[in-house]
Amino acid sequence: MDTNYVRIFDTTLRDGEQSPGATMTRAEKLLIAESLARLGVDVIEAGFPAASPGDLQAVAAIAESVGQSTETPSGEPPMICGLARAKTSDIDKAWEGVKAAKRPRIHTFLATSDIHLEYKLRMTREQVVTQVREMVGYASKLCPDVEFSPEDAGRSEPAFLYEVLAAAIAAGATTLNIPDTVGYTTPEEFGSLIKNIKENTKGMTDDIIISVHCHNDLGLATANSLSGVLNGARQIEVAVNGIGERAGNTALEEVVMAMHTRAPFYEKTTGIDTTQIMRASKLVSSCTGMQVQPNKAIVGANAFAHEAGIHQDGMLKNESTYEIMRPETVGVAESQLVLGKHSGRHAVKTRLGVLGYHLGDDDLKKAFDRFKDIADKKKNITDADLEALVTDELRHASQLWNLADLQVASGTTDMPTATVRLAGPDGEIHVQAAVGAGPVDAIYKAIDQIMGKHGKLLEFNVQSVTGGIDALGEVTVRVESLQSSDSFLNPQSGADAKRSYIGHGTATDIVVAGAQAYIAALNKLIIAEKREDAANDQAAASDAEKQA
Ligand code: KIV
Ligand code: ZN
């Protein structure tokens, strides 16, 4: 076992999805999982299977496909992991989710801080040790690879932590993950915690991997994770763009590029192909609707921009004056110009293959039709255009409602009018016209009438995929459901909690992209409401059964 190798465990699809409003569809999760495999992450935490049937299905779909994929830098499929509370029903669901993967992992957790024991779990320390021993043992009988996390380790009493971790090792855990759940510790404290765990936990050997899982509440997640590595951690839990619960998780791109750029200092390696970082960042941002701040390290729009005259002058003389890493190292290169209007299906298929998309005949036909349509309007199609187009197509492939046609009359007229044609789940075309305050308002009113739903528009963002007046436009909308909801992950959210849904559309015409985005968001809203109704019906039926 190479003790200088640091595993990258990605939790974009689990902790990342816990970011407010970042809920993703199964198709989006699959696209992200494929992108993480290309990036070379060692472990993909694909979800929390006990959270809902949808979560379980998404984890299973990832285990079946990406969990077998050899399109990774190492040629080995990534491990696919499912999260479970330390209880048999959760562990059973996690196993059901990951078992199809070539390398499955169950990640189970139980809190160890006195605060959590007293107020949340209402358990004694002895009960916690017993439950950890039993549940890690239970998981180890199902799955060859088990990770255990003492939740809120950063605020737990060290001696008790060593006892719990020793029980987890004795019961079969091979990875011990140390979460700073509320992002409370400093780099010095967190580094010492890892060192002390390594030195004081009974049963600790080089075969047991210590992992770090840091939250960014004080902006210290990256520093804490790296401090953990300097003190013996050999796995870092991360999310792309640093998304996650509250202020987020450690950003994948930051820890990876710190170890890469400062390799002589850290003397550690990872299996990450850094040139895939930017592609993964863009995909995660568009699937979650969480925009990357321009000054974000590594993946922000300004991360490699030089504005001041003195800096520009220095850069022209020698790049090393103001640049510690080359933009192409993280995949920020001038997007390659690859295809045009005369390119045929074979050229499109080949280029998509190079980008890592191996489509079946149906999907390829749809992607090629979209390509032809766009090539008629846009002279040069770059890799970034092609990727935006194909991910858009794949994400919307299984939608209930789809845009068939759109016509808008707007300008200085008082009555912007839209006529919308949607293909419905019944296979029929539904037509509606509406007048609005502007073209988008008119379109959205027509869509509301056809789909029989009304979402409150919270955000409408437009971004261009590449430069140029004929660039593809990507529109992301956030729509709030007007129906109240309760959440498994936030059981206290109460009857008035509102859920928001992200929708995304890509077209050369941003008004069309805006329509696609809104339809996508309403589709998600309808599916979520159907799931909720089904869960309520099931609960009512089981109540009735109990009373009978
Ligand atoms: O932050 C945390 O404690 C977690 C655990 C479930 C590992 O996400
Ligand atoms: Zn977390």
Side-chain angles (χ1 to χ4, degrees):
M1 192 174 275
D2 177 2
T3 52
N4 286 324
Y5 183 83
V6 176
R7 290 180 176 185
I8 299 297
F9 172 117
D10 184 276
T11 185
T12 307
L13 297 174
R14 199 278 298 169
D15 220 325
E17 208 202 14
Q18 287 173 222
S19 313
T23 318
M24 292 169 256
T25 61
R26 194 189 323 172
E28 288 167 338
K29 288 181 182 178
L30 265 167
L31 281 168
I32 291 180
E34 281 162 12
S35 165
L36 293 170
R38 283 195 293 273
L39 198 54
V41 308
D42 301 271
V43 189
I44 297 176
E45 187 162 55
F48 194 166
S52 71
D55 269 54
L56 171 57
Q57 285 159 12
V59 173
I62 291 169
E64 276 159 29
S65 57
V66 181
Q68 314 288 339
S69 167
T70 48
E71 281 203 34
T72 60
S74 67
E76 267 291 296
M79 268 183 226
I80 306 297
C81 171
L83 184 70
R85 287 169 295 185
K87 51 194 272 190
T88 52
S89 54
D90 271 35
I91 293 170
D92 288 341
K93 289 257 165 57
W95 176 236
E96 204 180 322
V98 299
K99 67 183 177 197
K102 186 171 172 210
R103 302 162 70 212
R105 171 180 285 191
I106 293 176
H107 175 193
T108 186
F109 69 98
L110 188 63
T112 47
S113 68
D114 286 339
I115 301 176
H116 279 234
L117 261 62
E118 185 179 344
Y119 298 110
K120 188 182 83 172
L121 300 176
R122 298 187 204 285
M123 284 172 81
T124 63
R125 288 184 173 189
E126 291 70 32
Q127 286 171 324
V128 167
V129 174
T130 306
Q131 191 162 329
V132 167
R133 190 178 304 113
E134 287 176 1
M135 291 304 108
V136 171
Y138 183 77
S140 302
K141 287 207 180 82
L142 295 174
C143 183
D145 188 308
V146 174
E147 169 171 328
F148 170 71
S149 290
E151 192 189 7
D152 206 16
R155 292 188 300 169
S156 299
E157 196 211 28
F160 176 55
L161 204 50
Y162 310 149
E163 191 187 338
V164 173
L165 293 173
I169 295 176
T174 46
T175 300
L176 300 178
N177 178 47
I178 311 303
D180 182 19
T181 303
V182 288
Y184 179 72
T185 63
T186 66
E188 293 73 19
E189 282 167 354
F190 195 67
S192 313
L193 179 65
I194 300 302
K195 186 166 182 284
N196 288 332
I197 286 172
K198 200 169 174 219
E199 286 169 3
N200 296 305
T201 302
K202 210 166 136 211
M204 182 68 72
T205 65
D206 270 353
D207 289 338
I208 305 288
I209 304 258
I210 301 184
S211 164
V212 289
H213 177 111
C214 299
H215 279 271
N216 208 24
D217 299 66
L218 294 173
L220 293 171
T222 296
N224 284 349
S225 301
L226 291 170
S227 176
V229 165
L230 288 174
N231 285 282
R234 288 190 283 144
Q235 173 174 289
I236 312 183
E237 302 206 349
V238 295
V240 174
N241 299 337
I243 64 169
E245 192 75 50
R246 303 181 313 280
N249 286 70
T250 305
L252 177 148
E253 60 278 7
E254 293 178 13
V255 282
V256 166
M257 288 316 290
M259 285 188 283
H260 184 92
T261 309
R262 302 297 309 276
F265 178 75
Y266 286 104
E267 296 182 319
K268 302 287 176 209
T269 55
T270 70
I272 298 295
D273 172 0
T274 62
T275 63
Q276 295 288 327
I277 285 179
M278 204 61 199
R279 280 177 71 192
S281 163
K282 288 203 159 133
L283 183 64
V284 168
S285 165
S286 94
C287 289
T288 58
M290 298 184 70
Q291 311 262 329
V292 174
Q293 74 196 54
N295 59 330
K296 166 83 183 61
I298 322 291
V299 293
N302 296 347
F304 295 95
H306 302 273
E307 186 69 21
I310 295 174
H311 287 213
Q312 288 176 352
D313 180 55
M315 284 292 291
L316 289 172
K317 288 175 177 146
N318 190 312
E319 284 138 359
S320 64
T321 50
Y322 288 104
E323 214 167 63
I324 58 167
M325 54 198 151
R326 295 293 304 143
E328 45 279 19
T329 318
V330 295
V332 183
E334 263 302 291
S335 195
Q336 252 181 299
L337 188 151
V338 280
L339 300 168
K341 151 181 194 166
H342 300 295
S343 307
R345 180 190 296 257
H346 185 68
V348 171
K349 184 178 175 187
T350 308
R351 196 63 212 162
L352 283 172
V354 171
L355 292 173
Y357 296 97
H358 303 285
L359 307 187
D361 288 347
D362 273 3
D363 286 336
L364 181 66
K365 181 180 176 318
K366 284 185 201 146
F368 187 65
D369 290 347
R370 287 276 303 265
F371 166 80
K372 277 292 181 199
D373 184 42
I374 284 162
D376 270 342
K377 300 173 184 141
K378 186 177 189 309
K379 204 164 146 233
N380 303 315
I381 310 267
T382 65
D383 276 349
D385 291 326
L386 203 54
E387 184 154 29
L389 183 157
V390 76
T391 54
D392 194 59
E393 192 58 48
L394 292 174
R395 285 165 66 180
H396 296 157
S398 50
Q399 275 186 173
L400 295 172
W401 292 88
N402 283 290
L403 182 66
D405 243 321
L406 171 65
Q407 266 191 350
V408 197
S410 73
T412 47
T413 153
D414 281 347
M415 287 210 299
T417 310
T419 308
V420 176
R421 281 155 53 89
L422 296 190
D426 53 2
E428 300 289 319
I429 295 289
H430 302 251
V431 188
Q432 190 67 51
V435 172
V440 172
D441 187 40
I443 293 167
Y444 286 15
K445 279 187 173 140
I447 293 172
D448 282 349
Q449 286 172 38
I450 299 177
M451 292 177 71
K453 284 282 151 209
H454 176 58
K456 184 173 162 198
L457 186 66
L458 301 178
E459 278 173 37
F460 185 101
N461 287 305
V462 188
Q463 276 194 317
S464 68
V465 174
T466 52
I469 195 78
D470 62 354
L472 277 181
E474 290 188 310
V475 173
T476 306
V477 297
R478 187 184 296 276
V479 172
E480 191 175 73
S481 150
L482 297 178
Q483 185 172 309
S484 62
S485 71
D486 205 2
S487 146
F488 170 84
L489 293 169
N490 181 14
Q492 306 306 324
S493 57
D496 289 332
K498 299 262 170 63
R499 244 188 243 168
S500 62
Y501 301 87
I502 293 290
H504 184 269
T506 306
T508 44
D509 182 326
I510 57 164
V511 174
V512 175
Q516 290 169 341
Y518 187 65
I519 295 164
L522 284 195
N523 269 302
K524 285 188 185 174
L525 190 155
I526 291 173
I527 287 173
E529 285 180 1
K530 278 194 176 152
R531 280 211 189 110
E532 224 159 90
D533 291 347
N536 289 339
D537 288 351
Q538 215 177 331
S542 81
D543 279 354
E545 219 170 88
K546 272 182 211 150
Q547 279 165 14

